[in-house]
Amino acid sequence: GAVVSQHPSWVICKSGTSVKIECRSLDFQATTMFWYRQFPKQSLMLMATSNEGSKATYEQGVEKDKFLINHASLTLSTLTVTSAHPEDSSFYICSAIPGTSRRETQYFGPGTRLLVL
Amino acid sequence: AQSVAQPEDQVNVAEGNPLTVKCTYSVSGNPYLFWYVQYPNRGLQFLLKYITGDNLVKGSYGFEAEFNKSQTSFHLKKPSALVSDSALYFCAVSLYYGNNRLAFGKGNQVVVIP
């Protein structure tokens, strides 16, 4: 149980295009999902908290117009990287929690590798 | 500010030997602590967590961790390391304020030598 999927697993795009990444909780409902960015051999950087039915909460320094987040259902959150540039190339990982308590375990997706040419 | 520290960049251990990955924390209130493992080009897999109760927590794949309040530590341990345990290990603490957000340590690369 507690499986989170991401699609696509990797994507290559041209500079200036937009890329959408999907995060799905497969066997539980998640009112809250998180989006992280990870650079090679580094820790995860939390980008934003995605809340079902409301606006996402972005971490300081993360451009909300650049990284659009939509959490339209209890099992799906999407991250759209708009007008992508080479510096947006990274490993993007989502996570989801099955409840609202601070005790809840975050379950992570397998990640999406984005390469912007 | 709440945070976790993983002091070592890399831990090398011979196969069959005990494995320890260190983590210390700094939080307000009661800490909720987690360990995750990441294999190359993959997301994080949950290993174990400490919420309350016994200080020794047992998790997946034979891993365990000991919560030590006086030393503010939550070290990850495995009695006998396997080559397949070679991966990146992250300690994390649930932030007291902030909507279930986690603060992650920088991660420790574990290399198990055959």
Side-chain angles (χ1 to χ4, degrees):
Chain A
V3 178
V4 177
S5 70
Q6 279 183 244
H7 178 81
S9 56
W10 59 270
V11 57
I12 301 174
C13 70
K14 293 181 179 180
S15 185
T17 61
S18 294
V19 175
K20 179 185 285 188
I21 303 170
E22 293 184 348
C23 177
R24 294 182 185 272
S25 56
L26 298 185
D27 50 4
F28 64 97
Q29 294 185 330
T31 56
T32 303
M33 293 182 174
F34 301 90
W35 286 97
Y36 295 85
R37 184 172 180 177
Q38 186 181 31
F39 293 101
K41 298 188 178 182
Q42 294 189 25
S43 190
L44 281 71
M45 183 191 80
L46 179 64
M47 299 174 66
T49 303
S50 174
N51 304 296
E52 188 269 335
S54 65
K55 291 183 178 179
T57 304
Y58 291 83
E59 297 298 305
Q60 190 172 9
V62 178
E63 300 175 59
K64 62 179 66 175
D65 295 329
K66 173 76 171 176
F67 299 100
L68 299 179
I69 291 173
N70 186 299
H71 194 153
S73 77
L74 287 172
T75 59
L76 173 64
S77 174
T78 59
L79 169 68
T80 301
V81 183
T82 62
S83 186
H85 291 286
E87 57 266 29
D88 299 323
S89 299
S90 192
F91 193 50
Y92 292 88
I93 307 175
C94 73
S95 70
I97 53 174
T100 57
S101 166
R102 195 163 66 91
R103 298 168 171 232
E104 295 286 355
T105 299
Q106 281 191 32
Y107 295 96
F108 286 80
T112 297
R113 177 79 58 191
L114 170 63
L115 177 61
V116 184
L117 301 176
Chain B
Q2 294 159 127
S3 63
V4 293
Q6 295 180 247
E8 300 162 316
D9 289 330
Q10 182 165 312
V11 176
N12 296 325
V13 61
E15 186 177 23
N17 281 4
L19 168 63
T20 298
V21 189
K22 296 180 180 178
C23 172
T24 58
Y25 65 88
S26 173
V27 298
S28 302
N30 295 323
Y32 294 165
L33 296 156
F34 302 78
W35 273 104
Y36 289 87
V37 60
Q38 184 180 32
Y39 296 96
N41 298 310
R42 301 296 302 274
L44 276 64
Q45 294 181 28
F46 169 71
L47 284 179
L48 51 79
K49 67 181 178 182
Y50 171 81
I51 304 297
T52 61
D54 290 341
N55 291 340
L56 185 63
V57 179
K58 294 188 181 296
S60 305
Y61 313 118
F63 283 94
E64 58 187 29
E66 185 168 11
F67 172 67
N68 188 316
K69 189 173 183 177
S70 63
Q71 297 185 6
T72 63
S73 67
F74 189 56
H75 301 331
L76 182 70
K77 299 180 180 182
K78 186 170 184 179
S80 178
L82 302 173
V83 173
S84 57
D85 293 328
S86 298
L88 192 56
Y89 291 79
F90 290 99
C91 181
V93 63
S94 179
L95 298 178
Y96 191 77
Y97 301 104
N99 195 25
N100 309 97
R101 291 151 68 230
L102 289 177
F104 282 88
K106 65 178 183 179
N108 282 126
Q109 183 67 48
V110 169
V111 177
V112 181
I113 303 165

